[in-house]
Amino acid sequence: YAKKILKKFKLLECKHVCIPIAPATNLSKIDDAKKVDPTYFKSLVGSLTYLTCTRPDILYDVGFVSRYLENLSALHMKTTKRILCYLYGTLDFGISYSSSKNFNL
């Protein structure tokens, strides 16, 4: 599913990063940066939210950017696309669920 998201948002060939969001990232609801298409951003965040079922490593970061769904700017989009670049570098990561009667942790 991560590959489908990368393909959908045209980031299948991006530079990968080691962490989803830079440590000093400060986002704000009041931002003077250029505004972006809210439909595109909501679709991206929704796709990432669905992916968190198998990728708990991005759960905090997706929750962080989803706070700004109503008043977003280019900085919010850049931060969200960084999560996609992280996914590109970690496509083999994730949890796989299977049905089994003898389930052990």
Side-chain angles (χ1 to χ4, degrees), residues 4 7 10 14-15 20-21 26 48 54 58 83-84 91-92:
K4 289 172 90 174
K7 185 177 180 181
K10 298 178 179 92
C14 61
K15 182 179 176 185
I21 292 183
N26 289 323
L48 288 172
T54 57
I58 62 168
I83 298 172
L84 291 177
L91 285 173
D92 296 334

Side-chain angles (χ1 to χ4, degrees), residues 23 52 54 56 60 72 75 95:
T52 60
T54 57
Y60 172 80
L72 54 107
L75 179 61
I95 297 173

Side-chain angles (χ1 to χ4, degrees), residues 54-75:
T54 57
R55 294 292 304 265
D57 55 331
I58 62 168
L59 186 59
Y60 172 80
D61 305 304
V62 173
F64 181 71
V65 296
S66 69
R67 295 180 202 167
Y68 306 99
L69 287 174
E70 295 305 319
N71 192 12
L72 54 107
S73 67
L75 179 61

